[in-house]
Amino acid sequence: MSPEIQSPERHLARPGAKHKRRLVISVVTGVVAVGFVAFNVINANNHIARSDALTAAHLVPKLSKDTNILVMGLDSRLDEQGKPLSPALYNALDAGGQSVGGYNANVLMLIHIPADGAKATAISIPRDNYVELAGIPAESGTYGKIREAYGVGLAAEQTTLRNAGQSNDNATYQQARDAGRTAEIDTVSQFLGSVHIDHFVEVTMAGFYEVAQAIAPITVCVRQATADTYSGANFKAGVQQIEASQAMAFVRQRRDTSNPNCAFFRS
């Protein structure tokens, strides 16, 4: 019996079939990628707390289309409801427990974005400037370090709410937090010569750590090897990549305990 001869057409792909498959795969991949990005954007947006603190701030009129953003970094080791963080997060932060820190705005930066598309600029405001604390009706005429306005405003509002018979719950806590934000915004605006502030960003230590987790590994450059037993910093000289816990130590380092002759400065 002669062997069966199969038609060669059965083994040939239809013209353009491979390109169509590639196109379908590319489209599906694109849809999945867009969906993934959209999911993460929505998820991140849902975890960002909103505040009406700016509406209560005694801001000067806006005189231009430029945008000013105040960045406040809090020393708090609590979550947004004033509750303790998880033990794992405290361990990752390596910055003490819930009783350490407070509501001081230890990081204050003003970012100026020109409306004409020119390069944005940022200035860092030294946290220990001794100023008149603004935006706190119960503390009118009070002076203190500029970083303390947040905590003083929060405490004053908590006292006012308690004296008014309000319950000590999350709603009143959030109201007090907004009062602290308003006080810090007003104080910074007044200190800078009545600068209009359009937006603000508040970041806690836990928030910074979570952002660092999302973008790690982070590339940094260290001029010389350095170590600090207080912050946990331990970096070699040169360019290197660090993860979230190391990023926390990097921004918190204030001394070099490995070299007593080292003059350590940070901006």
Side-chain angles (χ1 to χ4, degrees), residues 86-103:
S86 68
L89 190 48
Y90 280 125
N91 184 60
L93 295 177
D94 192 23
Q98 65 185 82
S99 61
V100 181
Y103 292 101

Side-chain angles (χ1 to χ4, degrees), residues 5-239:
I5 300 176
Q6 296 182 345
S7 172
E9 284 78 12
R10 296 177 62 182
H11 299 282
L12 295 177
R14 293 189 303 276
K18 182 181 292 186
H19 297 293
K20 289 180 180 179
R21 285 197 295 271
R22 287 177 179 171
L23 178 59
V24 170
I25 292 172
S26 297
V27 170
V28 171
T29 303
V31 170
V32 171
V34 170
F36 177 78
V37 172
F39 170 80
N40 280 280
V41 169
I42 293 172
N43 185 55
N45 188 60
N46 289 338
H47 286 81
I48 296 177
R50 300 298 195 276
S51 169
D52 294 324
L54 273 171
T55 61
H58 302 87
L59 297 176
V60 296
K62 186 176 177 67
L63 301 178
S64 72
K65 294 183 179 180
D66 296 351
T67 300
N68 292 321
I69 304 172
L70 177 63
V71 179
M72 300 186 291
L74 293 188
D75 198 26
S76 173
R77 273 78 161 172
L78 301 173
D79 67 13
E80 286 304 307
Q81 285 71 49
K83 306 298 183 183
L85 305 172
S86 68
L89 190 48
Y90 280 125
N91 184 60
L93 295 177
D94 192 23
Q98 65 185 82
S99 61
V100 181
Y103 292 101
N104 290 319
N106 282 340
V107 174
L108 289 168
M109 297 179 66
L110 187 74
I111 302 172
H112 178 76
I113 306 174
D116 61 3
K119 186 177 180 179
T121 57
I123 62 170
S124 181
I125 304 168
R127 64 181 187 173
D128 290 333
N129 279 310
Y130 193 71
V131 301
E132 181 178 4
L133 306 182
I136 313 171
E139 302 290 336
S140 179
T142 298
Y143 282 77
K145 295 179 179 180
I146 195 167
R147 63 187 171 98
E148 296 174 331
Y150 193 117
V152 174
L154 184 151
E157 183 67 12
Q158 285 181 321
T159 299
T160 299
L161 293 172
R162 187 165 50 249
N163 292 341
Q166 298 288 331
S167 58
N168 184 21
D169 55 18
N170 186 58
T172 55
Y173 172 75
Q174 296 302 333
Q175 189 173 337
R177 286 287 293 266
D178 268 351
R181 294 168 181 135
T182 297
E184 194 66 57
I185 292 167
D186 276 346
T187 299
V188 171
S189 174
Q190 178 176 280
F191 174 70
L192 295 178
S194 297
V195 168
H196 181 90
I197 297 174
D198 299 278
H199 308 284
F200 78 94
V201 178
E202 175 186 301
V203 183
T204 61
M205 295 185 72
F208 177 89
Y209 175 78
E210 290 171 349
V211 170
Q213 273 189 313
I215 64 175
I218 303 165
T219 302
V220 298
C221 181
V222 182
R223 286 190 175 184
Q224 64 184 60
T226 181
D228 173 27
T229 56
Y230 291 89
S231 65
N234 187 8
F235 303 106
K236 62 183 181 181
V239 177

